[in-house]
Amino acid sequence: MDGHVEENGRGCHGGGDVSEWKKVAELRAVAEAQDPAAKEEDDFALRRFLRARDHNISKATAMLLQYLSWKRSTKPHGFISDDEVRGEIAKNRDHMQGFDRLGRPLVYLYAARHFPVRRDFEELKLYVSYVLDKICTRLPVGQEKFAAVIDLGGWGYSNCDIRGYLMGLDIMQSYYPERLGRVFLIHVPYMFMAAWKVVYPFIDEKTRKKFVFVADRDLDATLKDAIDESQLLEEYGGKLKLQGYDNSPLSMASK
């Protein structure tokens, strides 16, 4: 699932809460009875759906079945190709480099490079999944979450895309549950808070706690507390040189 092969494979848990794994087995039995495609998802994926629904089997099953249906229609070949999102890739809005101190791969997003009047909404939907799949391929063994830095420097009303923000949140929360670890929002202009007030009610309670607004005066200390200098981009006071955007699946997975 999510373009990432879990470290232990299906059925080899290597520890963890026994009662939780029993619930995972129960979820698998119920889901596979309704959609055989559930067999393709490993136990760690099922555990994420279970956790996202507070270990409620019925709710987790509904969520998993919805995901399987979405996966068939969105990724009929099992993945989203570069060609399908070539226009979005060219906008150079994100970079995937480094890891935070918890070993979570980092993605940097530059919000001022997004202009809704220039985007194809259907391609943008595919691109959200494309990026999430890419970041998941960088997850090291034993890690299931990623972290993000969203730079809002230069963001203005021409960059505001409420529909796009809500779509991205829906995809992440519905189809990539328990993948997001932390999001740092930096260089936040005052006008962005109007957009945030619209989006905020659509973020589930668990996810809300993962968004951290960082004041400019606290930027250096906050980022360096979470990210070692060797893993932090130079533009934010670190020592990691920004690499050009490489959309090759293999090279992205190896970074």
Side-chain angles (χ1 to χ4, degrees), residues 25-234:
E26 183 179 349
L27 171 60
R28 178 174 296 284
V30 174
E32 289 184 4
Q34 298 181 59
D35 189 337
K39 295 178 181 179
E40 300 174 8
E41 309 300 323
D42 62 39
D43 285 353
F44 292 93
L46 267 62
R47 185 174 66 172
R48 290 193 293 273
F49 281 95
L50 190 64
R51 289 177 172 177
R53 289 298 178 263
D54 296 319
H55 297 86
N56 182 297
I57 297 295
S58 179
K59 292 181 179 180
T61 299
M63 186 183 192
L64 177 58
L65 293 176
Q66 182 183 27
Y67 160 75
L68 294 172
S69 177
W70 168 84
K71 183 179 178 181
R72 277 191 292 269
S73 61
T74 304
K75 298 186 274 190
H77 304 296
F79 65 95
I80 296 168
S81 70
D82 298 344
D83 288 338
E84 291 177 89
V85 292
R86 189 70 65 185
E88 292 297 321
I89 289 174
K91 295 173 183 177
N92 200 30
R93 276 189 308 242
D94 57 86
H95 291 282
M96 302 179 194
Q97 287 182 240
F99 297 83
D100 71 6
R101 293 186 186 276
L102 297 179
R104 298 178 296 203
L106 287 162
V107 56
Y108 294 85
L109 305 172
Y110 300 89
R113 297 178 187 177
H114 177 71
F115 295 93
V117 295
R118 302 177 190 171
R119 59 114 163 99
D120 178 297
F121 191 72
E122 293 305 313
E123 183 178 349
L124 181 61
K125 285 171 65 175
L126 287 177
Y127 186 68
V128 170
S129 297
Y130 174 89
V131 169
L132 289 169
D133 284 345
K134 290 290 190 192
I135 195 69
C136 286
T137 65
R138 299 183 61 237
L139 291 166
V141 172
Q143 181 58 259
E144 295 186 72
K145 299 179 184 292
F146 68 89
V149 176
I150 299 180
D151 191 334
L152 288 148
W155 185 95
Y157 288 123
S158 63
N159 307 115
C160 186
D161 188 1
I162 299 297
R163 187 185 178 201
Y165 301 156
L166 294 177
M167 174 270 292
L169 279 169
D170 180 60
I171 289 175
M172 184 178 68
Q173 293 181 155
S174 299
Y175 309 127
Y176 296 82
E178 299 296 309
R179 282 302 198 189
L180 181 65
R182 181 63 58 89
V183 180
F184 295 101
L185 295 101
I186 66 174
H187 299 146
V188 183
Y190 180 76
M191 66 180 71
F192 176 77
M193 299 314 296
W196 179 253
K197 288 180 180 179
V198 176
V199 172
Y200 186 78
F202 295 90
I203 306 174
D204 67 49
E205 187 174 349
K206 288 183 178 180
T207 304
R208 289 175 183 174
K209 299 175 182 178
K210 299 175 182 179
F211 284 84
V212 179
F213 283 84
V214 184
D216 288 347
R217 65 178 179 276
D218 301 323
L219 181 59
D220 186 70
T222 299
L223 291 185
K224 288 182 179 177
D225 181 61
I227 308 166
D228 186 82
E229 287 187 7
S230 67
Q231 298 295 309
L232 182 64
L233 290 183
E234 287 181 329

